[in-house]
Each structure stands twice: as C-alpha cells, then as structure tokens.
Amino acid sequence: MKVAVCVKQIPDPASPGELDPETKTLKREGKLVLDESDSYGVEMALQLVDAAGGGEVVLVSMAPNNETSGLRTALAMGAASAILVSDPALLGSDALGTAKVLAAAIKRAEPDLVMAATESTDGYTGTVPEQVAELMGLPSVTFAKHVEVAEGTLKVNRQTEAGFDEVECPLPAVVSVTAGVVEPRYPSFKGIMAAKSKPVEELTVSDLGLDAGEVGWAGARQEIVNIAPAEERKAGEIIEDEGEAHLKIVEFLEQLKVL
Amino acid sequence: MPLSTIWVHAESVDGKPASISLELATQARELGATVEAVHAGGDAEALAQAIGPYGVTKLHTTGDTDGCLPGVVLAAALAGAIKGGAAPDLIMFGTTYDGRDTAARLSVRLDRPVLTNNVTVTADGDVVVSTPVFGGTTFVDTAFRCDPPHLALFRPKSFEPSESGGGPAEVVTLEVPDVGATRGAKIVERHVEERSGPKLDEAAVVVSGGRGLGEAGKYDMIEELAKLLKGAPGASRAIVDAGWVPYAYQVGQTGKVVKPTVYIAAGISGATQHMVGMKGSKNIIAINKDPEAPIFSIADLGVVGDVHKVVPKLIETLKARG
C-alpha cells in the first residue's frame, strides 16, 4: 500500500510568531521544523503500510523556499521519499491555493490513501485535507482518532460533538487524523543518517501544470486590511503557595458566587 | 452595501439546533440580511420550528443523507443551488467537524476562498472577517476580494444567540446531485460518549489539567474538582496528545473554545495553543509551580505552587463544606 502524507514545515512554535508588516504573512525566515501535528499522520501511515505487509510512505509538502529540514525529520521516521513543491509564487497562498498544489503533487504519487493532520499548528484553517479530497474527486473522513485498513476498506473512528462515529470508506480516500491517533516514534540515529540520502523531488508550480495566478496572493482573492493587537488581559493577584493557597481559591470562588 | 441574503449552516441532533447555529443566525440577522439556513439530515421539520425564532425564514435541506458524512452531500447541493441562481452574499459556517467539511468542499466547487476561525464579521462596504492569531494576542482582519457568495467559518461562542420572535422557518428541499465516488464514506455506527455533568463548552466552571499533573492517573483529581464545582473537566493539548484523556476534553485552538464564569488551569503553562481557547473566560485561576508560566499573565488569581498539594487540599476543603 502506498500512502501519501501531507506535511507542513513551520517556524518553531516554541518561539513567538510574527507577521511580516510588508507581506502580512507569517515570518518564516528561521529554521523550519516538521509540524508536530503531522508527525501523527506520518506514524499512522508507517503503521498502516507495515500492517498491509508492504508499500511505502511518500511525503508531500509545499514551501515558498526550498526548505527541507522538517521533511528530513519525517524521512528519518521512515518515509521513503518526498515531493516538495517549492516556488516563490506560493507566498501568500491560502487554504484553497495550498490544496490545489498538494492535490496536483499527490496525483503524481498515485497513492492508495492520502493522509493529513486535521489542521496545521500555525495556519490552523482545518480545511485543506477536505479541499484536497474534493479536488481529487475522492471520499474523505476527517477528524480520525482511530484508523485501520482492512481488505481495501478504510475503517475510521471519527470524532463528533457527542462522541465518535464508526465510518467505513473504500480506497482511495483522504483521511485527516487528530493528534493522539498514534504515538509518533522518535527518529533513530540510523533513520536520521538514512534520511540524508532519501530522494526529495523538488517541483515548481509550473511543473504541476498550475497557473501562478491560482496560488499565492493572486489566487487567494482576499486582502488583509488590518492587523491589531488584542486588548490585553491583565494579570491579577499572584500568590505563592505556603500551604494555604487553597483557602484563597475558595474565597475567590465565594466572591464569584460559584460557591 | 448591506448584504441582502445570508445562509447559515444549521447543525442539529434530532431536530435540536446546535448552539453555534443559533449564534450564527443571530449574527446574520444583526447584519440586516434575510437569513436562511442550510442543512443536511432527516430532522428538518423539527429544526425549522426551533431555528425560526432566531430569524431564519427558510431552511434549505438535503434531507436524510443515507449514512453519508453530511459535508460532501450538502456542499454539492449548495453548489448546485448557487449555480442554478440562488445567490446569497455570504455563507456562515461554524468551525465544527461538519462545518469545515462542508465549507471546504464547497470552496472547491465554487472555486472561492474560505476564511476560517473568525470571531467577527462586518459588511460596511467590503465583507471583512477577523481572526485571532498567536493565541489570541493579535487579530487579523481580512476582506474578501472575489464575487459572492463569500464563505466564512466562525469559532463557536463568537456571538451571543438571541431570539427575534419569528415563527417556524419554511422547509425547502435542496436537489442533491450525484457526487460519484466522493460519497463513499458511510457512518456504520454512532457512539455517544456519556459524560456526566455539564458540557465542556456550556459549563459555568471548567477545571483543566495539563502536563504539570505528571501522569495520567492524576487527572482523576481534575475530574473530582470539576464535579465538586458542578463544572466540566478539560485538558491541554499536551495531555490529549499523550493519550491521557480523549480529544473531546481538549480546550484550545484545536479543540473547544470555552468562556465559563471560572476557568481553573491546573498544571498548564499556557501555550498559545491553549490560551486562544480559554482567554475569554470571565475569571481565570491558575495553579502552576513555574512562576514564569505564561498562564499567570492572564490569571485573575495565580497560585505559584504544586498542583499535587494545592488541588487535593482544595478538594478536601470543598468536601468539608458539603
């Protein structure tokens, strides 16, 4: 079984994000890392390929520059190869533009299953996997918290407001996984060394047969008209617990009429 | 130019509308537009009764989706209606599981952008929506630069639902085109995970635990404290990812948005991911042993201390009060 996994390389979430006042996009100058949300999809895909008794995991990613450090992390986990669509024209791409690029790149890999996180940590639109599915004419199951494949059928427990639905779907299909669906492995030293020589195919927007006007700012057909700081919430009283802090909490709850 | 017609995505369980759908209907009405709802499911008649008083005049429904996930069916039906001449200016969805599915599929069918995670919308000239980023510290306002209908998703609890006194909405059936292979995903069984006490996003008190609890078993005290306060237990993403509690407990950017009277964060440092989901709480109490934890910058009462000491004592005191 061949599984294509959509992965995103993002600025390290540990350092505060910043918007570029000129382009109004997220600054991505520093080192990019594999979005932690995507490590679940990579792990899930590796486990499904193992369970199927063979096949491979192909990564699909896009970036305005030819950054690969995040992809190497996923390759070190065990993915076989990667397709990276890298083009300055991609700067400012919205969810639909991103989905058009990913769908075109995924088609080249001809996978049995397409996997993605439910949403990226930085942009968090949560619409790309479903847009990819529609562009590829595939069925999809989003918000999967448990995934298995049996005899060509995808079996998913899909998160709902009330609990979860058991959903079945023929392959090929798109599935988006929630964090926690599996425990991602840490890349081994051997894996890290092997990842350095794994193939990363770099493509431009025109290689995919897409028009530059469909992606980036031009394709987004939206304009950021204002960026403003939120009204700050002020810190209140901070106390050090010396054994009696719980009484202070009780007192506060009483004031609020919760008790 | 004021908007003439807005469609809102109405989600329901057995005819009972989801709160987010009432929130959206109220906001659409306040924009001065004719408000109509769009819906997939077999419970349109009951839903039309319930949602009409919020200003919804018509309920366009696909009817029962025969076990298919609703997003793919509703998106195809809406695209068909729009191409056939129905022309809302704006379609509002909730940032929910099916809301995202439907809007995403529809954006492809109409080849239109979809703007997500919004908390406000204005229509003085341009249609502009606002989205919190970086844990809610910054708001980005974005204007649509394409032909209507515009597609926008809103975070739950962005608007306060209120009735305007209308009668039931008129039920109109949408034509559902053949969607081929895309309708392949079928629900074979539904599971309701019973949780005692109030729902996480409706509770007056929310008690959430994070990695500072140290181990999965310690989450019991979060549940116990929540129960004593007649509240709901929540969690940070870190412990959901670690598998200590189900995804349904998660408060944050990914997960639920909560605005309770009191939010108690125990052993949560306050990653931006988490803060965006709870900083709208009326009062915040934080317990964390790290005095530098970002959560203290938004807490009304911050306790620098060990959750393993403070929370058990709090539980004992509350129990003693009866």
Side-chain angles (χ1 to χ4, degrees):
Chain A
M1 185 168 63
K2 192 171 190 180
V3 186
V5 185
C6 301
V7 296
K8 189 172 184 182
Q9 304 176 94
I10 63 168
D12 191 342
S15 48
E18 219 183 315
L19 292 171
D20 185 318
E22 283 289 310
T23 64
K24 293 173 178 156
T25 54
L26 184 65
K27 284 192 180 176
R28 296 177 186 274
E29 286 117 11
K31 186 174 178 254
L32 298 181
V33 299
L34 177 68
D35 188 338
E36 199 193 337
S37 307
D38 290 327
S39 61
Y40 299 92
V42 173
E43 179 64 41
M44 191 73 246
L46 291 168
Q47 291 190 15
L48 290 175
V49 165
D50 272 353
E56 63 175 20
V57 175
V58 180
L59 309 171
V60 181
S61 189
M62 68 171 245
N65 57 21
N66 52 0
E67 175 69 46
T68 61
S69 54
L71 288 177
R72 294 290 170 201
T73 305
L75 290 168
M77 287 173 72
S81 63
I83 300 172
L84 175 64
V85 186
S86 181
D87 198 318
L90 293 171
L91 183 73
S93 290
D94 74 336
L96 183 57
T98 302
K100 286 177 180 175
V101 169
L102 292 176
I106 292 164
K107 276 183 192 156
R108 297 168 70 96
E110 298 182 349
D112 302 298
L113 178 64
V114 181
M115 192 161 281
T118 54
E119 63 185 37
S120 63
T121 301
D122 59 347
Y124 79 109
T125 67
T127 55
V128 172
E130 191 75 2
Q131 288 170 319
V132 166
E134 183 70 24
L135 286 161
M136 297 183 71
L138 294 177
S140 56
V141 189
T142 48
F143 299 95
K145 51 187 227 165
H146 177 82
V147 181
E148 47 183 78
V149 173
E151 289 157 14
T153 299
L154 179 70
K155 296 185 176 188
V156 170
N157 289 350
R158 179 181 189 250
Q159 185 70 48
T160 62
E161 287 297 330
F164 66 94
D165 289 344
E166 281 178 49
V167 179
E168 292 188 358
C169 183
L171 295 180
V174 176
V175 62
S176 78
V177 295
T178 60
V181 68
V182 276
E183 183 63 35
R185 70 192 68 184
Y186 286 103
S188 64
F189 179 70
K190 210 174 134 194
I192 292 167
M193 296 312 288
K196 291 183 201 281
S197 57
K198 285 183 176 172
V200 177
E201 184 186 10
E202 288 197 28
L203 300 171
T204 63
V205 169
S206 64
D207 289 339
L208 293 171
L210 290 171
D211 189 297
E214 288 183 76
V215 299
W217 277 119
R221 292 163 293 165
Q222 57 195 262
E223 184 188 354
I224 294 178
V225 292
N226 194 36
I227 299 173
E231 205 177 302
E232 289 218 24
R233 199 181 163 118
K234 289 194 178 58
E237 189 185 357
I238 311 268
I239 57 167
E240 193 103 22
D241 178 39
E242 283 162 358
E244 302 294 320
H246 58 288
L247 298 175
K248 189 82 188 174
I249 295 174
V250 171
E251 193 185 308
F252 189 59
L253 293 173
E254 279 174 339
Q255 275 173 29
L256 298 173
K257 312 278 183 222
V258 170
L259 290 178
Chain B
M1 191 181 73
L3 304 180
S4 64
T5 305
I6 297 175
W7 284 358
V8 297
H9 181 214
E11 297 182 66
S12 56
V13 176
D14 298 333
K16 186 177 181 293
S19 175
I20 174 72
S21 305
L22 304 178
E23 294 162 21
L24 296 179
T26 305
Q27 176 60 26
R29 200 177 77 216
E30 280 170 12
L31 288 171
T34 299
V35 184
E36 300 179 358
V38 295
H39 163 259
D43 57 352
E45 291 296 334
L47 177 61
Q49 294 273 345
I51 205 169
Y54 290 82
V56 175
T57 55
K58 275 187 191 168
L59 177 68
H60 303 267
T61 183
T62 62
D64 187 56
T65 59
D66 191 26
C68 286
L69 290 180
V72 64
V73 176
L74 183 56
L78 295 180
I82 289 162
K83 285 174 184 160
D89 297 297
L90 172 68
I91 311 180
M92 300 170 75
F93 300 86
T95 303
T96 59
Y97 306 116
D98 292 332
R100 288 201 261 198
D101 277 8
T102 311
R105 293 248 179 206
L106 185 58
S107 85
V108 172
R109 285 188 170 261
L110 300 177
D111 192 24
R112 297 261 195 321
V114 52
L115 296 179
T116 50
N117 289 307
N118 303 296
V119 293
T120 69
V121 53
T122 56
D124 311 317
D126 296 327
V127 175
V128 178
V129 291
S130 180
T131 315
V133 297
F134 306 141
T137 55
T138 304
F139 283 87
V140 175
D141 296 349
T142 308
F144 287 94
R145 292 281 181 257
C146 55
D147 293 331
H150 302 313
L151 308 179
L153 288 138
F154 295 86
R155 292 180 72 78
K157 301 237 185 291
S158 298
F159 315 110
E160 196 67 42
S162 71
E163 295 191 26
S164 61
E170 178 196 347
V171 176
V172 185
T173 304
L174 287 163
E175 193 179 322
V176 180
D178 178 14
V179 294
T182 58
R183 66 179 294 146
K186 297 262 176 148
I187 299 168
V188 292
E189 193 158 352
R190 314 202 83 145
H191 295 261
V192 175
E193 288 176 334
E194 290 292 345
R195 288 179 52 155
S196 55
K199 286 172 70 176
L200 181 56
D201 50 357
E202 290 170 4
V205 178
V206 173
V207 184
S208 285
R211 220 194 294 260
L213 293 171
E215 55 181 294
K218 298 289 182 196
Y219 190 79
D220 290 353
M221 67 183 183
I222 298 298
E223 291 192 304
E224 188 173 8
L225 180 57
K227 197 171 175 189
L228 283 165
L229 294 169
K230 298 182 181 63
S236 71
R237 175 172 159 178
I239 70 166
V240 173
D241 286 4
W244 295 4
V245 292
Y247 181 72
Y249 284 58
Q250 189 167 318
V251 173
Q253 174 181 302
T254 329
K256 291 279 193 309
V257 177
V258 300
K259 293 186 175 180
T261 307
V262 184
Y263 188 86
I264 303 180
I268 290 177
S269 63
T272 53
Q273 209 305 105
H274 186 72
M275 305 252 252
V276 74
M278 48 64 79
K279 69 192 295 181
S281 304
K282 290 183 195 71
N283 300 281
I284 297 170
I285 300 173
I287 308 162
N288 200 296
K289 65 179 177 208
D290 175 11
E292 303 296 322
I295 192 84
F296 288 128
S297 69
I298 62 162
D300 299 284
L301 175 61
V303 174
V304 180
D306 185 350
V307 286
H308 302 101
K309 291 182 180 155
V310 179
V311 175
K313 280 187 193 163
L314 184 55
I315 288 171
E316 286 316 308
T317 309
L318 293 173
K319 275 186 177 165
R321 293 166 60 105

